Amino acid sequence: MTSRTPTPTPSESAVTLREILAFDDSATLRTVLVPAGLDVGVRGVAVGDEGAAQPFDGCLVLVVGVPAASAEAAGPVRAAAGRGASGVVLRDTQGAAVAPEVLAAAEESGIALLTRAEWADWADTAALLRSALACARAGVDEGAPGITAGGAESLTALAGAVAEYTGGSITIEDTRFRVLAHSATGPEADGLRRSTILGGRVPQWRVAELRRSGMLRVLWTSRDVIHRAADADGPERLIIAVRSGPEVLGSIWAAADGRALSPHAAEALRRAAEVAAPLLVRHRLHESGAARRRELALRGLLHGDGDARTHAWSLGLSPDAACAVVVVERHGAGPAVGDRTLDVLALHAVSYRPSVQVLRDGERLLALLPVGAGQERDALRLARELAMLAPSLPGGVPVLAGAGPVAATALGVQTSCEEAALIVRVLRERAARDDGAGPGRYADAAALGPSLDVARVLDSVRPVWEAGDGPVHELVRADLASGGELVRTLAAYLDASGDVARAAARLVVHPNTLRYRLRRARERFGVDLEDPDTRLLITLAVRLTG
């Protein structure tokens, strides 16, 4: 977080820590220590690295640097307490225990100590805390009856309350025009409202129409109620954007269904937008938090980090379920185009079967596939489908897809993931050595034969090669430094099983040129290609150095 968080003014009312934690239904925050109790007052949110002259009177301070498990966090805790903070929030790290020095600092200073879940980020945490404060304050503020945080603790309750005070039918939508809540639909509701509620979102044709007419631009830039007169397509509507500071969170729509809207409808919508803001933030945090927790669990399961059984249950997957992993990487494409291709393939993989779970891991796509009896080749089928689909997409680029073996239980999918990634690597190496025949773009272990074992052997001997010395090492180092012509010649010669004519044709040189280079290797570096051990070492060196 780089923006400065304003310290609250004395006129801003305090909210208890208990009220803030009650707002956190996504479990973003964990209470570690509260020396003054949960009823300690909180008046704002501040960032711990703000200037030393900035007071923290009554604030919860976000310590964005060191984690709670580090003893170094004790310093910022004491500093925040010295500047009047009521509590601090530190970053959790994979469930590691809070350092004893940090606990002692909080207890001695009398300051509340909380940690932020690893799956959340500081922007989410700040939004959560600010929304909790706003929601709690709105609950005691004066306003339209029923349209308060206290009177509308959910979006559905809010939609019902707003419908009562506007005399219209209400929908509350996010910025993607998904319907998050709506009031009861009367018999005279127009067709657009019915289709929007039944479909769970505004129809695409309607969104396109709003965009063409300029209504969306007006909605997202206006800070007041927008009036849309009745026409042949529907009744009168009032719309207002819901904001948290400069950020648009969604919108509230009031439609006159069979009767005129109340004269006070616009004022009721303005009040509703204020109350809806923290509720929409909470909805967004809950949605993004669930997605991040799922991603964290899937990443941990595939890479063997943390407790595999817990990760499996978090994903709704039985730890005893047989699974396989498919790894997909783009092949020969720029990052932007390749990323779009992987995004579409991710959607396709999920539609392949509802139980498939997908993770974007940097420039790779990982798909976890539960495998039932008789479905042992499903991973290979999915790999083939994705590899064949990618080039046919608009702007699509080729990909390489590897299908890992079936793991007997979900707890063993790390091995399947590692082998699938190795398969992709072997496919890529084959493509680099290919002479025009065109290597496969998808495979499983059976399709690659001994190539996978060779790759594992090369990984094992790499440290030995890198620590070694001798004529072959000297040849490879010297030649690669000057362009690698001799190494490429040796590679072609060995791949052709010593057939000079075939190796020369592959290099597009005269056979005498190739013989001259081989003689130079012997005379300059003392490398004897008649010796089988030397040939083996050169073969390994060529493979290891690419």
Side-chain angles (χ1 to χ4, degrees), residues 191-270:
L192 175 60
R193 173 177 168 80
R194 290 182 181 279
S195 64
T196 296
I197 291 174
L198 288 173
R201 63 181 305 125
V202 178
Q204 287 298 325
W205 64 265
R206 177 64 165 175
V207 175
E209 177 188 278
L210 293 172
R211 186 177 291 112
R212 282 194 304 271
S213 68
M215 175 62 76
L216 284 191
R217 179 178 56 81
V218 174
L219 175 61
W220 298 145
T221 56
S222 173
R223 291 184 175 272
D224 204 354
V225 175
I226 300 168
H227 178 258
R228 186 180 176 96
D231 55 26
D233 295 328
E236 174 190 18
R237 280 179 166 81
L238 294 179
I239 316 113
I240 190 169
V242 179
R243 298 174 178 274
S244 176
E247 182 182 8
V248 177
L249 302 172
S251 57
I252 304 176
W253 297 65
D257 288 343
R259 57 175 177 163
L261 292 172
S262 161
H264 307 295
E267 182 56 36
L269 275 189
R270 293 186 190 97

Side-chain angles (χ1 to χ4, degrees), residues 355-374:
S355 57
V356 172
Q357 307 207 45
V358 178
L359 175 69
R360 279 296 303 274
D361 188 20
E363 298 181 358
R364 299 190 305 175
L365 183 68
L366 310 180
L368 176 64
L369 180 72
V371 177

